Each structure stands twice: as structure tokens, then as C-alpha cells.
Amino acid sequence: DFLRMSTEQALFRFEGAECRERWSLFSDAEYGGRSTSSLEQATSSTAVWSGRTEVEIDEENAAISTESGRRATKAGWCAMRADVSHDGWDLSDFHGIRMRLRPDDRRYILNIRTFGILGGEDVDIFQAIVPPAPTPGEWCELRMPFSAFHLTSRGYIQANQNRTMHLGNLRHIGLLLADHTTGDFQLELEEIEAFRFGEDEMARDGGVQEMLRNNEDMGYNAA
């Protein structure tokens, strides 16, 4: 049926260097920390983001805040981020983000940055905690409705959740690991895509219907 909406839109498939090279890596090392990470091809269709987080910070080399004048005292995070501002994606007709991944038992966060209502450099940052896999180290498929994402500032959820993501005006998509833990991590990724629930699910699955109600309550009105 050519009138039926697509149930998915591929955003990233980790099938080679072209995809990997779109991602930039960040860590607390830029601010005096010792955490490091890398993104390497694992198979022909998957890539592994791995590294080590260290919560201790090098106090002598810690960055100084331009706002408070104090040296950084917290460390233990790594992040990867892709600029999607020129991809022309409009996810307004979708219900959320689907990922196929193989995580360990660490606590990851999926970030979506959208251009704010003021345009220019104004951005809104929305974050959703990636639920743990049923079995760490096993492949799983994760579907996160847009209502799972919360407006944040500097990593803190804002009390006033008075705006939704501008799904037709995305700037960055990224992953963050900042669980206040010293140790190794490994997250294997196959694909990230936007998804719609199937017609049968929407008609019969109570859990899906609840997620759609939550989406609607948050202002995401895809039919």
C-alpha cells in the first residue's frame, strides 16, 4: 500500500568507515580527567565503542570553569556524537528511536540535540537512559519512544519539561557514559533508526498504547 507510512527510517548503520567517521569522541580528558575511548569496526555490520572511565581527576591539570573560576572536580565520562544538522531528517511521523546493540552492564544515555526556538547556536538537549539488556553481552533490540527523552541542562533533568524535541530540526545524536564508575566498557552497535509501531501493535498491545499516550501527552502527535 503506497499510502502507508514507512515503519522505519535508517539513521545510522555501522557497516564501515563512512559511518564510523561521522562520530566524534569526547571524554573528561579534555578537562583533566583520564577517561579514554575508541570506535572500531567489529564486523562488516557492527562497530564497538569501548574504553575506560576513570573517576579520579588530575587536579593540577583540571580545567578551570569560566563561570565559577573553580577547577573541575568530577570525572569519569566518555561520549560519542554525530552531527546530523545537514541530513535533512524529519522524524515527526515516527514514534521513537530504535537501536540494535550489544551492551555490557554499564549505564548509557542516548542524547538528541535539536535546534532551539531561537535558532542559531541555541540548542535543546534531550536525554534518555538506555535500559539495561536482559542479559549483558547479548544482542538486543531497543525501542525508545520520544516521550522517554527529557529536556536537560548540563546533565540534569529540568523541572520544567515545557518543550518537545524539534524532530524536523535535529543537530546531534550521541551516546554518553557517565555512571560515576571506574572501569572498562564496551558497547557494540549495529544500527540506529527512527521507528513507528506497527498497526497491529497499536490496535492490540496495551503497552504500546500507553507509550503512544505518553508521546501524545508530551506533544509528539504522530498518528
Side-chain angles (χ1 to χ4, degrees):
D1 186 345
F2 69 92
L3 293 178
R4 180 172 295 179
M5 291 183 181
S6 172
T7 58
E8 60 187 44
Q9 177 179 322
L11 305 180
F12 294 98
R13 290 200 169 109
F14 292 84
E15 296 175 339
E18 184 176 355
C19 179
R20 278 199 334 274
E21 290 170 0
R22 294 196 58 184
W23 294 84
S24 299
L25 302 179
F26 305 90
S27 77
D28 57 37
E30 304 165 52
Y31 305 97
R34 299 186 177 95
S35 302
T36 60
S37 73
S38 64
L39 182 64
E40 305 289 343
Q41 202 68 29
T43 70
S44 60
S45 61
T46 67
V48 171
W49 181 41
S50 63
R52 182 174 178 84
T53 52
E54 296 274 358
V55 297
E56 292 185 5
I57 197 166
D58 183 348
E59 295 183 1
E60 293 184 359
N61 295 318
I64 299 176
S65 169
T66 57
E67 296 181 3
S68 67
R70 299 175 181 174
R71 288 190 179 274
T73 58
K74 295 182 180 180
W77 63 269
C78 290
M80 56 183 279
R81 188 177 74 195
D83 185 336
V84 300
S85 58
H86 301 295
D87 286 85
W89 294 334
D90 185 348
L91 308 186
S92 301
D93 289 329
F94 295 90
H95 295 140
I97 299 295
R98 172 187 173 275
M99 303 174 67
R100 180 162 168 76
L101 69 170
R102 183 162 65 170
D104 52 19
D105 59 357
R106 302 289 295 271
R107 186 179 180 183
Y108 298 91
I109 294 172
L110 181 62
N111 296 329
I112 297 180
R113 296 184 181 210
T114 66
F115 286 99
I117 58 175
L118 300 180
E121 294 302 309
D122 179 41
V123 294
D124 294 327
I125 303 174
F126 294 82
Q127 297 184 320
I129 295 173
V130 177
T135 305
E138 296 291 331
W139 282 101
C140 61
E141 179 179 305
L142 172 66
R143 296 191 296 180
M144 304 175 70
F146 289 128
S147 56
F149 291 81
H150 299 283
L151 180 67
T152 66
S153 177
R154 298 183 181 180
Y156 292 96
I157 294 176
Q158 298 301 285
N160 191 357
Q161 296 288 316
N162 61 349
R163 68 185 79 172
T164 60
M165 287 185 279
H166 293 189
L167 295 175
N169 208 1
L170 305 185
R171 184 165 187 179
H172 296 110
I173 292 178
L175 284 159
L176 169 69
L177 176 61
D179 57 359
H180 311 293
T181 299
T182 292
D184 298 332
F185 70 91
Q186 179 171 300
L187 174 63
E188 190 168 357
L189 298 157
E190 183 173 347
E191 58 189 3
I192 301 173
E193 64 184 22
F195 80 94
R196 287 180 56 82
F197 292 110
E199 298 293 334
D200 287 345
E201 290 180 296
M202 290 191 284
R204 302 177 183 177
D205 190 315
V208 168
Q209 292 168 358
E210 182 178 0
M211 284 187 274
L212 291 175
R213 286 194 296 270
N214 291 339
N215 268 9
E216 187 173 357
D217 290 344
M218 294 283 288
Y220 302 109
N221 297 313

